[in-house]
Amino acid sequence: QVQLSESGGGLVQAGGSLRLSCAASGGTFYAMAWFRQAPGLEREFVAAIGRSGRVIYYGDSVKGRFTISRDNAKNTVYLQMNSLKPEDTAVYYCAADLVVGVIGRTSYEYDSWGQGTQVTVSS
């Protein structure tokens, strides 16, 4: 059974940093990604990484501030978030693709999801 479990969310002041982790189990994970969803808004792409770590994509709103990485030995993907802004406040979801293919930037391209972790950035 595939399971994804996020951790590392919390409350931080604007300008601060957080590091999210997503531990995956129950499969071989190819593309892995982070999405976020704020109240009343659609789920937004944050970052994605291929299995080798060589191919990485970021959403425009987080480029230069967030860094995605992964440790395949631990089946874990990370999201280092720096220079956080109040508009980064959202529930952050980890997603994984168990099928070899393109590294997706839309939610429907991922077949496994975590429960989400809340990130709140105060001004």
Side-chain angles (χ1 to χ4, degrees), residues 44-63:
E44 177 189 10
F45 170 74
V46 174
I49 185 169
R51 182 163 178 81
S52 69
R54 291 195 296 269
V55 180
I56 290 175
Y57 298 116
Y58 292 103
D60 288 342
S61 60
V62 306
K63 281 180 183 176

Side-chain angles (χ1 to χ4, degrees), residues 4 8 13 19 22 24 26 36 41 53 77 81 84 89 94 97 116 123:
L4 302 178
Q13 288 188 332
R19 189 193 195 205
C22 172
R36 67 186 183 186
L41 299 179
V77 63
M81 305 186 294
L84 283 161
T89 295
C94 173
D97 190 352
S123 58

Side-chain angles (χ1 to χ4, degrees), residues 50-107:
R51 182 163 178 81
S52 69
R54 291 195 296 269
V55 180
I56 290 175
Y57 298 116
Y58 292 103
D60 288 342
S61 60
V62 306
K63 281 180 183 176
R65 300 188 298 121
F66 290 11
T67 302
I68 188 171
S69 61
R70 65 189 292 170
D71 183 339
N72 290 334
K74 297 181 179 180
N75 263 349
T76 300
V77 63
Y78 305 97
L79 186 68
Q80 177 67 43
M81 305 186 294
N82 298 329
S83 303
L84 283 161
K85 305 175 182 180
E87 50 264 44
D88 294 318
T89 295
V91 176
Y92 283 70
Y93 296 92
C94 173
D97 190 352
L98 281 74
V99 176
V100 176
V102 298
I103 299 169
R105 283 168 275 189
T106 59
S107 59

Side-chain angles (χ1 to χ4, degrees), residues 7-13 18-20 81 84 89-90 117-122:
S7 61
L11 173 64
V12 64
Q13 288 188 332
L18 282 175
R19 189 193 195 205
L20 305 183
M81 305 186 294
L84 283 161
T89 295
T117 185
Q118 176 71 47
V119 171
T120 303
V121 185
S122 63

